[in-house]
Amino acid sequence: MKIVIDQDRCIASGQCVSAVGEVFDQRDEDGVVVLLNATPPAELAAAVRQAAAVCPALAIRVEE
């Protein structure tokens, strides 16, 4: 699994951070998503997929 984010699409809703804070964070100055781990461990796969699914801007892409 590899995660790709599009910071230009991000609207800073924070849904990804709520879903899996071990993988996503937000910049302090504007709340835009920051990827902490582009290749998370298998045990976080379901949470990462959920984060991508709930992103209102579709700024997160999961590549298998």
Side-chain angles (χ1 to χ4, degrees):
M1 164 182 283
K2 179 182 175 188
I3 303 166
V4 179
I5 57 170
D6 184 344
Q7 290 184 327
D8 292 333
R9 291 186 78 160
C10 181
I11 62 169
S13 72
Q15 297 298 312
C16 56
V17 178
S18 295
V20 61
E22 300 94 325
V23 177
F24 303 102
D25 199 357
Q26 291 177 281
R27 293 191 304 221
D28 290 334
E29 62 272 12
D30 58 7
V32 169
V33 65
V34 175
L35 186 59
L36 301 176
N37 186 349
T39 56
E43 61 267 14
L44 295 178
V48 169
R49 286 187 194 96
Q50 178 64 23
V54 300
C55 177
L58 302 174
I60 302 168
R61 189 173 76 242
V62 177
E63 298 175 352
E64 300 297 335

